[in-house]
Amino acid sequence: MSAVIEEHHDDHDHKPTGIGRWLFSTNHKDIGTMYLWFSFTMLFIGGSLALVIRAELFQPGLQFVDPELFNQLTTLHGLIMVFGVIMPGFVGLANWMIPLMIGAPDMALPRMNNWSFWLLPAAFGLLLSSLVMSLMGMGSAPNFGWTFYAPLSTTYGPASTDYFIFSVHLMGISSIMGAINIIATIINMRAPGMTYMKMPIFVWTWFITAYLLIAVMPILAGVVTMMLTDRNFGTSFFSAAGGGDPVLFQHLFWFFGHPEVYIMILPSFGIISQIIPTFSRKKIFGYSSMVYATSSIAFLSFIVWAHHMFTTGMPVATELFFMYATMLIAVPTGVKVFNWVSTMWQGSLTFETPMLFAIAFIFLFTIGGFTGLMLSIVPADFQYHDTYFVVAHFHYVLVTGALFGIFAAIYYWIPKWTGNMYDENLGKWHFWVSTISVNVLFFPMHFVGLAGMPRRIPDYNMQFTEFNQIASIGAFVFGFSQLILLYNIIKTIRGKATEKATSQVWEGAEGLEWTLPSPAPFHSFTTPPTVK
């Protein structure tokens, strides 16, 4: 009997090392780390595609790529950034932080956690293989835009479209499993005394985001399955010749796609709501209104999808409904911005790198919000639709919104993760170069869009040259400035040239910061964090 107990004890203490540690890990920190590194890797791949696009657009005419390859690059850039960078980045942060913030020893379903991560490299390996084959002259990568509208993707899509469909299914399965895990963890594993209205805002935003994921991912799965049968099994869901409707595709896609936009921004709202109070030395202003505003945004995200489709032709009453419903989302979003600014009001502010990114987020995300309001106005949208104005709008939301939120989170929490402080000077260099260049990159797109430059076209009229050159210069500076972040992260992890982090890294408002029993990374804590 004692031998059995001893053997069991040895198994319990066994920790895999080397590659096995990462392949088979069920530790939420290891899995969170893998998600974050995967996201960072995809950022450089997707960003490289964007730089080829911007190099082509530096001047009119065709320089580097033909229109067919240009379409493949824009398609894969969008898919990689949405599904390969922003979403895995946020899931990595959720894996790392939610158990620590609610006092749980790990995620509720650790083996499923491992599986949901490892589906992602398989999915993106499949997707990127089509680009490799295209570059080798063995076919074409998906070339129909990241929204893969039928009939471009069904009737006219290349053979690699079936790879793309399988890849999207794998991403969807991964997302649904991750969301189930987050919900199960938050509902079942909160520390005693932590009621829902005592949870950190980051936990709340992910709780709501996880429900959104479970609601909309099956719709995406359904629409790509219908694509698959239209392409291979003789159905005609989206073919008018067989009694189907191409516009049905757009309704289904955007019923998934618009909540997806909020899936990509709500966790950022949570991150900013953790950072602003800490560096203002005040509690968040209007905690409960933040929770209700997040819930309102999630609900409204389901009833605005057709604002992407005003130019498909719909009854005026329908246009009015979607116009006013879209404008309504500005109200809870405005509540959040008001609460963040009110938290800073009369606070003892300091401007470390996470706070700089958080403040930039508020300004620049708000620009994206205002241009979104412009796009919600039906007659105006007829002019803006499919121009670079739309490109500028959603990049202000997803780059200076979602991506800047991830940057802020990395600087805010990396001392907790590694036990070492990052290099503050490098952090500030990264912030200023990124913030200036991202505006040089995307702000001119508003002007060329308003003047009528269409998106997804590799050539353009001479009158747009100067603004495109400015944008391309901004793109290259912004792209290469991310190497500063990479260097800073590696330097912090190695910890030789940086100071050690204290157990209370940021001197926040009393009761705001949860404390770790030890700054040592990657090991399960026996004592849960203190909940104040």
Side-chain angles (χ1 to χ4, degrees), residues 33 37 414 417-423 485-498 500 521-522:
T33 302
W37 276 115
I414 201 169
W417 298 341
T418 62
N420 304 314
M421 276 305 290
Y422 63 88
D423 185 320
L485 174 62
L486 178 64
Y487 175 69
N488 205 353
I489 289 171
I490 292 170
K491 185 178 173 186
T492 309
I493 290 170
R494 295 180 70 184
K496 289 170 184 163
T498 53
K500 293 290 173 193
F522 305 137

Side-chain angles (χ1 to χ4, degrees), residues 269-285 339-345 347-350 354-362 412 512:
F269 289 170
I271 290 160
I272 303 307
S273 303
Q274 300 297 129
I275 292 173
I276 297 280
T278 301
F279 296 98
S280 305
R281 275 91 188 153
K282 282 173 66 188
K283 292 199 171 183
I284 187 86
F285 178 87
N339 285 8
W340 291 325
V341 174
S342 301
T343 304
M344 288 190 279
W345 176 254
S348 305
L349 270 65
T350 52
M355 184 62 161
L356 291 175
F357 271 109
I359 294 169
F361 171 97
I362 295 172
Y412 185 55
L512 261 176

